[in-house]
Amino acid sequence: MSPLRVCIVGSGNWGSAIARIIGKNVQKSNRFDPTVKMWVFEEIINGRKLSEIINKEHENVKYLPGYKIPHNVVAVPDVAEAANGADILVFVLPHQFIGRICGQIAGQIKPGTFGISLIKGIDEGPDGLKLISDLIREQLKIEISVLMGANIAKEVADEKFCETTIGCKNEAQGEIFKELMQTPNFRITVVLDSDTVELCGALKNIVAVGAGFCDGLSFGDNTKAAVIRLGLMEMVAFAKMFCKGPVSIATFLESCGVADLITTCYGGRNRKVAEAFARTGKSIEELEKEMLNGQKLQGPQTSAEVYKILKQKDLLHKFPLFTTIYKICYEGRSIQDFIMCLQNHPEHM
């Protein structure tokens, strides 16, 4: 069998951190081609093209400064050229660009190509929430796995120990991805429950908004722990309702579940902006502009998608935390009402 050619689609801070791992791992295994193409959204940095800086200096000076990218990772500014001939596609870019990018590379996909999505977020489908993996699967007609976990990009780049979860529908592909990305300090568990793994990556951002409200209202750590626990209960209940196949509770005990939830509720931009929302009374849109250079928050947006589905199914009353977070973010409900959704939360779901 000829070695598998890998293309990384995206090169932000998470994409660059994962490129460091993949670049080193392909050199140690005869399963993979040693050259990895990485699509770079072209930008001009101090008069120079970002792709040229990466290829000459082997560093993404804009998104992951101070960390070397292996020499065998080649930055390519044209996404169709980067994906051409690849056997494995690693998607790691903001979710709002995925539809357009898939459209640009669809003609380059050869039979047998398969992929993995490291994208936390969801898309809006005709029936409400749509998984990013489903969107890629439909547009490119390839098998797709997902990787989700408590993986802050800078800590991964620093090679601090962390765990992550690969969710797949094809176990053999899951093992190939494990070989491609596992290191002693980036420990991977493979589970055959990919929809739940991916849903965890999206839903935990809603809970993080609730954790930020707690911080902004100075409620303390006990209350925040309650938000995390009740949020986890709602995540499990929503996954059982949303996923077509069986949902394993064990998946929520993997890194993609409880670990990512804790990390996001104590760090992360959803928590940070929600805290500012509670303290300042400014709108989410204003705070995004002020604090995130125009990037969009995943948490409030995901709460809106989830709200739409729960309303359609007449289940809003069963998800008081998700519902209250949506109403505070978008319908002008008083932030002071947040405590009520905790006080009145059902003991069992």
Side-chain angles (χ1 to χ4, degrees):
M1 284 207 28
S2 55
L4 299 167
R5 283 186 280 187
V6 180
C7 168
I8 301 170
V9 184
S11 57
N13 66 341
W14 187 210
S16 299
I18 220 72
R20 281 165 53 82
I21 290 174
I22 290 174
K24 288 174 193 166
N25 279 3
V26 295
Q27 296 177 68
K28 296 178 198 160
S29 163
N30 55 12
R31 193 199 285 264
F32 306 105
D33 188 288
T35 300
V36 175
K37 289 185 188 170
M38 177 171 74
W39 171 61
V40 173
F41 178 74
E42 193 68 280
E43 298 176 64
I44 303 298
I45 313 289
N46 298 327
R48 296 171 68 198
K49 290 179 176 174
L50 181 56
S51 62
E52 287 176 9
I53 297 172
I54 292 171
N55 287 335
K56 286 204 174 95
E57 291 164 27
H58 308 289
E59 183 185 337
N60 188 332
V61 293
K62 177 158 186 188
Y63 295 106
L64 197 68
Y67 297 89
K68 288 296 176 193
I69 291 169
H71 288 218
N72 59 315
V73 176
V74 179
V76 180
D78 180 309
V79 72
E81 186 189 324
N84 189 348
D87 300 289
I88 294 176
L89 296 167
V90 179
F91 293 95
V92 52
L93 67 162
H95 84 282
Q96 59 266 37
F97 301 127
I98 194 69
R100 195 175 78 219
I101 291 302
C102 284
Q104 289 173 5
I105 64 178
Q108 309 300 324
I109 304 297
K110 62 182 196 183
T113 299
F114 55 102
I116 188 163
S117 168
L118 280 62
I119 301 165
K120 288 179 184 173
I122 48 167
D123 199 56
E124 190 174 348
D127 306 316
L129 183 148
K130 190 179 186 80
L131 298 175
I132 299 294
S133 63
D134 283 337
L135 195 140
I136 298 170
R137 200 175 282 116
E138 285 166 20
Q139 284 197 253
L140 299 182
K141 312 286 187 283
I142 63 172
E143 286 196 77
I144 190 100
S145 300
V146 298
L147 181 147
M148 304 278 150
N151 306 143
I152 293 165
K154 189 177 180 314
E155 292 183 17
V156 173
D158 279 328
E159 297 178 28
K160 291 179 175 169
F161 178 83
C162 69
E163 300 176 305
T164 198
T165 313
I166 286 178
C168 59
K169 297 182 194 295
N170 177 323
E171 199 165 2
Q173 289 176 6
E175 289 305 321
I176 290 171
F177 287 124
K178 185 170 182 172
E179 187 180 334
L180 181 64
M181 290 188 269
Q182 179 159 272
T183 73
N185 284 328
F186 191 65
R187 187 160 169 264
I188 294 173
T189 304
V190 178
V191 300
L192 291 168
D193 190 7
S194 66
D195 289 357
T196 307
V197 171
E198 188 169 4
L199 212 46
C200 282
L203 296 177
K204 52 99 190 182
N205 286 323
I206 307 178
V207 186
V209 173
F213 290 166
C214 260
D215 292 339
L217 295 164
S218 303
F219 281 164
D221 283 340
N222 293 343
T223 310
K224 194 150 140 181
V227 168
I228 292 171
R229 188 188 80 83
L230 296 169
L232 184 59
M233 277 172 62
E234 292 195 12
M235 285 167 64
V236 172
F238 188 88
K240 284 179 174 172
M241 182 193 83
F242 176 83
C243 294
K244 295 168 192 76
V247 168
S248 167
I249 295 302
T251 303
F252 291 90
L253 299 178
E254 297 292 348
S255 181
C256 62
V258 68
D260 199 9
L261 180 61
I262 291 166
T263 300
T264 312
C265 287
Y266 279 90
R269 56 190 177 194
N270 287 284
R271 189 217 61 79
K272 192 165 118 187
V273 174
E275 179 181 3
F277 177 91
R279 290 198 195 282
T280 64
K282 292 179 181 176
S283 73
I284 292 288
E285 289 77 12
E286 282 177 273
L287 291 165
E288 278 176 340
K289 282 193 192 108
E290 278 178 32
M291 299 172 73
L292 300 178
N293 296 323
Q295 285 177 297
K296 290 284 175 205
L297 277 187
Q298 301 285 8
Q301 197 180 334
T302 307
S303 78
E305 297 297 343
V306 165
Y307 183 83
K308 210 180 295 176
I309 292 175
L310 294 175
K311 195 171 183 182
Q312 275 170 7
K313 296 183 185 284
D314 197 24
L315 287 171
L316 290 172
H317 59 288
K318 287 198 177 269
F319 294 83
L321 184 70
F322 286 176
T323 301
T324 304
I325 287 167
Y326 164 77
K327 288 189 167 173
I328 290 170
C329 287
Y330 292 110
E331 291 192 352
R333 186 162 176 185
S334 168
I335 186 107
Q336 305 303 328
D337 290 349
F338 181 63
I339 195 74
M340 285 159 56
C341 81
L342 307 179
Q343 292 166 336
N344 302 324
H345 205 283
E347 283 179 38
H348 303 287
M349 292 190 73

